[in-house]
């Protein structure tokens, strides 16, 4: 059998024919980036090829000098890189997120990056791409993870605001993607009061708004406001809830929007009082369905619960290969001890 | 059912008592009969399904899932009910607009009660098919009898009382033993749509009268001649009640202070009040273990409490006894409107002539001045308590003219506990609290010095999470953040050595030997009584000082 056009290396997936890495975990001469979360998009590469939105998000997070040279990939556009063709397709994970299809005359491999199939009003929906090898994430690859309808989860938050109008509702949500999706969902549910945000979310939220996502009135929380926000919804990075920052709010309710909230022990460990099961990753049913939709002849699993997914693949006769790539985690878990400023 | 499930789900994560009360009240207010009544029954432990056992649930899930994926999932989730609830396959019948609505709580209860054992697995599977993840979780918790959502029966009744106009939780407590789920008459009364349900229980609980702690400053306004004093025994407060039902049969019950029926745990006491002369009466007293005429310590009593199974050996080894404080009813007459002095005379006569062996009288401690009583409190043996002084946790002061009222009124009764033990210990670890305290390091593990293999070392002797003011909590939190040496999840290790360390004066009620603790001792009811910012860590107490208190009682 001929070697594959992509291979796992210590720095991440590498394409010898095009001499580039995809989502490398260390600085490389040429990188293709699926999306802007920090475990996939790092600073310091030579050349970076990514969607316009991902490049903009990297510049916001790392400064304009985050790489030496950058190139925009439009969704669906075929780009020649060395001896292969690459194309970026929507992954539905966060604004600008993409799957990357790498192909030569013999073979097509799709690197999913992180993705979800649930509706997200803040980014284009995932498109299944047929391929020979599908490289999938597996963050929530256990059959216990089945994300409920998001409107049901948002209703839990709004009903708590009704029962506890004297308490501030602090909603922990990852600053890039989850926070903006929650704002949009809260608006869809009919909440017409201002939505308050922690300062750490301001830049990214402004960027989403400049890309045409309508959040209604968003107010950055100032230190003097905090005591007055009873009955209001305040979005903040998950770590801020346990931080000194949260103290000034009136009797705060600690809410957290994450796929991990499906498992009660996980919510309890983090001191969450109002867990909302909203995830930007595919759940078990969607992982399985997506793999079938790509009609791939082989599935590789980058990170997460690879063993369970590999076991499932084996039960339907699909060859599966856990890659055990190091350096990718769930962005929410990675954010736990991050400074809240 | 899904609405009840969401209540359980939300309440299980709510740490605050007030928050729980409001969630419960909101549910009772917005849920129809009889569902809310069944919910109340579930939370007060009045619902038992005998045939649904974890084995049935395991068998059902095994038929429906891949064993490898089940094992991986169970390993990850760590709780059988929750794993099954999450793994249960979506039923095609439950999806789509034409699907029947999910079952109500009442329907679930009816199905579980009516279905014969052999048909139960199938009925349970059908229910699980119709519910969502949270609904399945709640159903499985319900049938395995392990709600574990931090709601006591008392809290549920308090929430219900809050629906009414000026209805005290104790008013519900009083009629509770005579009520049956789904409590339609109770809800109707609370909501002002009907009269208070008549008490049909022949041996009802009468809400207990409690006392406030007395402060030094209170004494100036109190005349010793208005009060009787008696020992405050260190057991558990109980009510022993015997009545007759409509068929003339004797009904005997033992209640805890909160009205929980604890009769099954004390067959020896029940037997003694059923027999002979006790008649129809209600005694308020302290449950104690008495061996060879001598009251044992609370530590001994604990070995009999919280046991699921009570066998003859346990009963023989730890014989239960009631030391009577008060007589609440006698031969059908409610004595609570009488004064303490009047009730006391009746109690003395009752104990002398009608009480069985396992009952005796809590003696009155005669005194003339508060100073004299203060001396007795310091040294109960000097006031005649002799070898039972170890089972005394202080004094009770009761106004001679006080009628018996439920709850904790201010004025008629006071409790005057003995001073606790204290030890100066060094803060070793701090953990973040919950709810309002979730950003504060508010749970403190403290240790004392001992000679270790490599010289002097600190060994943890206990954990305290109250006793300080909000201002002190802020100072403690800052100290922890500034002196952290290591982090383990929500726990921080802090500097604690001969040179640097924070000394906490810890107050506690007693010390017991404990094989489960590294130090070999366990403290009862430890709390921070003072923060010794001034005291060097090396001058904190040693383990020997704590060990010397084993068996001593305060």
């Amino acid at each position: 059998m001929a070697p594959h056009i992509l291979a796992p290396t210590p720095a991440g997936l590498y394409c010898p024919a095009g001499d580039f890495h995809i989502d490398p975990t260390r600085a490389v001469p040429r990188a293709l980036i699926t999306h802007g979360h920090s475990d996939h998009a790092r600073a310091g590469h030579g050349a970076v090829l990514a969607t316009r939105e991902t490049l903009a998000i990297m510049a916001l997070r790392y400064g304009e000098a985050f790489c030496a040279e950058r190139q925009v990939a439009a969704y669906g556009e075929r780009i020649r890189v060395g001896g292969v063709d690459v194309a970026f397709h929507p992954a539905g994970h966060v604004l600008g997120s993409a799957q990357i299809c790498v192909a030569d005359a013999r073979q097509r491999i799709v690197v999913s990056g992180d993705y979800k199939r649930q509706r997200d009003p803040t980014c284009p929906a995932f498109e299944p791409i047929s391929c020979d090898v599908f490289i999938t994430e597996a963050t929530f690859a256990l059959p216990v993870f089945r994300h409920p309808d998001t409107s049901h989860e948002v209703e839990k938050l709004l009903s708590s605001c009704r029962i506890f109008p004297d308490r501030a509702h602090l909603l922990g949500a990852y600053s890039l993607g989850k926070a903006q999706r929650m704002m949009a969902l809260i608006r869809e549910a009919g909440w017409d009061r201002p939505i308050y945000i922690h300062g750490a979310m301001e830049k990214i939220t402004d960027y989403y708004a400049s890309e045409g996502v309508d959040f209604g009135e968003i107010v950055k929380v100032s230190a003097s406001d905090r005591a007055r926000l009873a009955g209001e919804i305040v979005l903040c990075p998950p770590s801020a809830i346990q931080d000194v920052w949260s103290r000034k709010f009136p009797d705060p309710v600690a809410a957290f929007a994450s796929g991990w909230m499906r498992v009660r022990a996980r919510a309890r460990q983090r001191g969450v009082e109002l867990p909302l099961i909203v995830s930007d990753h595919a759940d078990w049913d969607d992982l399985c369905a997506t793999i079938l939709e790509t009609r791939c002849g082989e599935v590789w699993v980058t990170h997460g619960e690879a063993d369970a997914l590999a076991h499932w693949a084996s039960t339907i006769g699909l060859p599966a290969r856990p890659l055990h790539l190091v350096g990718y985690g769930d962005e929410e878990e990675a954010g736990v001890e991050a400074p809240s400023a | 059912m899904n609405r009840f499930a969401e209540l359980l789900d939300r309440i299980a994560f709510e740490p605050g008592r007030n928050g729980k009360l409001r969630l419960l009240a909101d549910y009772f207010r917005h849920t129809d009969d009889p569902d809310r009544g069944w919910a109340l029954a579930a939370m007060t432990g009045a619902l038992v399904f005998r045939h649904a056992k974890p084995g049935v649930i395991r068998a059902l899930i095994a038929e429906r899932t891949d064993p490898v994926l089940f094992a991986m999932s169970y390993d990850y989730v760590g709780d059988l009910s929750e794993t099954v609830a999450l793994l249960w396959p979506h039923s095609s019948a439950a999806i789509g607009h034409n699907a029947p609505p999910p079952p109500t709580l009442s329907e679930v209860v009816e199905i579980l009660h009516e279905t014969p054992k052999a048909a139960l697995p199938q009925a349970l599977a059908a229910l699980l098919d119709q519910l969502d993840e949270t609904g399945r979780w709640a159903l499985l918790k319900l049938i395995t009898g392990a709600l574990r959502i931090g709601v006591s029966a008392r809290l549920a009744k308090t929430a219900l009382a809050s629906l009414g106009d000026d209805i005290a939780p104790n008013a519900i407590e009083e009629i509770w033993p005579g009520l049956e789920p789904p409590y339609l008459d109770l809800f109707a009364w609370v909501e002002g749509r009907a009269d208070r349900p008549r008490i049909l229980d022949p041996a009802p609980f009468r809400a207990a009268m409690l006392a406030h702690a007395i402060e030094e400053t209170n004494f100036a306004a109190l005349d010793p001649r208005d009060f009787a004093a008696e020992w405050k025994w260190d057991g558990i407060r109980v009510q022993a009640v015997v009545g007759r039902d409509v068929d003339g049969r004797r009904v005997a019950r033992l209640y805890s202070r909160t009205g929980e029926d604890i009769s099954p745990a004390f067959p020896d006491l029940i037997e003694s009040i059923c027999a002979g002369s006790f008649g129809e009466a209600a005694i308020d007293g302290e449950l104690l273990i008495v061996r060879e005429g001598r009251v044992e310590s609370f530590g001994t009593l604990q070995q009999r409490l919280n046991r699921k199974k009570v066998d003859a050996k346990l009963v023989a080894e730890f014989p239960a006894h009631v030391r009577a404080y008060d007589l609440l009813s006698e031969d059908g007459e409610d004595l609570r409107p009488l004064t303490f002095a009047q009730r006391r005379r009746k109690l003395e006569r009752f104990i002398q002539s009608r009480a069985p062996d396992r009952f005796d009288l809590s003696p009155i401690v005669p005194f003339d001045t508060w100073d004299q009583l203060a001396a007795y409190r310091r040294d109960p043996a000097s006031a005649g308590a002799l070898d039972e002084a170890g089972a005394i946790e202080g004094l009770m002061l009761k106004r001679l003219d006080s009628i018996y009222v439920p709850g904790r009124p201010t004025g008629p009764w006071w409790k005057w506990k003995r001073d606790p033990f204290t030890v100066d210990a060094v803060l070793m670890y701090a953990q973040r609290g919950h709810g309002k305290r979730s950003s504060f390091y508010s749970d403190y593990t403290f240790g004392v010095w001992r000679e270790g293999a490599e010289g002097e070392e600190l060994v943890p002797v206990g954990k305290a999470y109250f006793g300080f003011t909000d201002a002190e909590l802020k100072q403690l939190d800052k100290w922890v953040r500034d002196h952290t040496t290591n982090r383990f999840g929500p726990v921080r290790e802090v500097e604690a050595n001969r040179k640097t360390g924070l000394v906490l004066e810890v107050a506690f009620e007693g010390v017991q030997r404990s094989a489960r603790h590294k130090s070999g001792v366990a403290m009862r009811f430890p709390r921070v009584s003072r923060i010794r910012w001034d005291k060097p860590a090396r001058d904190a107490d040693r383990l020997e000082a704590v060990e010397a208190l084993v068996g001593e009682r305060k």
Side-chain angles (χ1 to χ4, degrees), chain A residues 80-155:
Chain A
R80 189 76 185 168
V81 183
V84 294
D85 285 330
V86 301
F88 286 57
H89 302 276
H93 179 57
V94 297
L95 186 59
S97 67
Q99 315 166 67
I100 299 176
C101 177
V102 183
D104 66 5
R106 301 170 292 120
Q107 194 178 47
R108 263 162 87 84
I109 297 188
V110 169
V111 181
S112 74
D114 292 340
Y115 66 100
K116 71 168 172 291
R117 307 300 301 272
Q118 272 187 322
R119 198 180 72 83
D120 181 342
T122 68
C123 68
F126 180 94
E127 292 169 8
I129 308 296
S130 64
C131 55
D132 302 304
V133 177
F134 183 58
I135 305 183
T136 184
E137 61 138 327
T139 307
F140 291 111
L142 276 175
V144 293
F145 290 110
R146 284 186 301 207
H147 307 325
D149 188 5
T150 51
S151 62
H152 179 264
E153 300 304 294
V154 171
E155 183 46 38

Side-chain angles (χ1 to χ4, degrees), chain B residues 268-533:
Chain B
D268 44 346
L269 272 177
I270 293 297
E271 190 186 336
S272 83
I273 55 177
C274 269
S277 57
F278 196 90
E280 287 166 58
I283 295 249
D284 177 358
E286 196 84 7
L287 181 82
L288 302 163
I289 299 297
V290 174
R291 288 195 283 217
E292 292 164 13
R294 183 169 169 271
V295 178
E296 298 285 339
S297 75
F298 189 79
T300 310
L301 173 58
Q302 266 184 324
Q303 300 181 58
R304 173 130 187 214
L305 299 175
N306 305 322
R307 291 292 186 95
K308 272 199 184 132
K309 245 184 75 203
V310 183
D311 53 25
K313 185 165 164 274
L314 190 72
V315 168
E317 196 178 346
F318 302 104
H321 186 97
V322 171
R323 189 147 284 183
Y325 294 136
D326 220 318
L327 187 60
L328 308 182
S329 125
E330 187 177 22
D331 300 329
E333 188 196 350
D334 186 355
L335 304 183
R336 291 174 296 173
L338 303 184
T339 65
F340 176 78
Q342 292 166 323
R343 294 199 309 276
R344 177 76 195 185
R345 277 195 294 280
K346 285 181 180 284
L347 176 68
E348 285 171 3
R349 216 164 35 235
F350 182 89
I351 294 292
Q352 202 174 22
S353 57
R354 293 172 61 176
D357 292 348
R358 289 172 179 275
F359 283 71
D360 67 4
L361 198 60
S362 177
I364 294 288
V365 180
F367 71 103
D368 296 315
T369 66
W370 295 129
D371 284 345
Q372 187 187 3
L373 199 58
Y376 293 161
R377 169 175 166 265
R378 279 192 298 276
D379 181 13
S382 72
L386 301 176
D387 60 351
E388 289 189 334
I392 288 170
E393 56 167 358
L395 286 159
M396 290 296 301
L397 308 178
K398 297 179 178 175
R399 281 192 72 96
L400 294 165
D401 62 1
S402 60
I403 59 167
Y404 194 97
V405 287
R408 207 186 291 273
T410 303
W413 288 11
W414 298 98
K415 58 183 175 191
W416 195 13
K417 282 200 176 188
R418 300 181 73 179
D419 291 334
F421 294 111
T422 62
V423 68
D424 285 336
V426 182
L427 178 63
M428 297 177 72
Y429 304 93
Q431 184 172 355
R432 273 201 306 267
H434 295 281
K436 275 186 193 180
R437 286 177 165 190
S438 62
S439 75
F440 287 99
Y441 287 89
S442 61
D443 296 13
Y444 308 110
T445 300
F446 48 84
V448 291
W449 295 107
R450 74 169 173 196
E451 188 66 40
E454 289 159 32
E456 287 288 288
E457 63 173 18
L458 283 168
V459 59
V461 287
K463 201 171 172 184
Y465 49 91
F466 67 102
F468 33 82
T469 64
D470 286 353
E472 285 173 326
L473 174 58
K474 276 190 190 151
Q475 294 173 317
L476 285 166
D477 177 80
K478 182 168 187 327
W479 195 91
V480 169
R481 289 174 190 268
D482 291 348
H483 294 84
T484 300
T485 56
N486 220 337
R487 295 167 193 230
F488 315 92
V491 178
R492 289 193 184 202
E493 185 176 3
V494 297
E495 275 191 86
N497 51 55
R498 306 291 290 174
K499 279 204 197 104
T500 315
L502 182 61
V503 177
L504 302 175
E505 183 186 279
V506 177
F508 53 100
E509 300 299 310
V511 180
Q512 279 174 274
R513 291 258 172 236
S514 166
R516 289 193 304 128
H517 294 78
K518 195 175 165 190
S519 62
V521 293
M523 286 179 175
R524 184 167 165 221
F525 204 43
R527 64 269 187 192
V528 175
S529 57
R530 255 197 313 165
I531 308 166
R532 296 295 305 268
W533 301 106

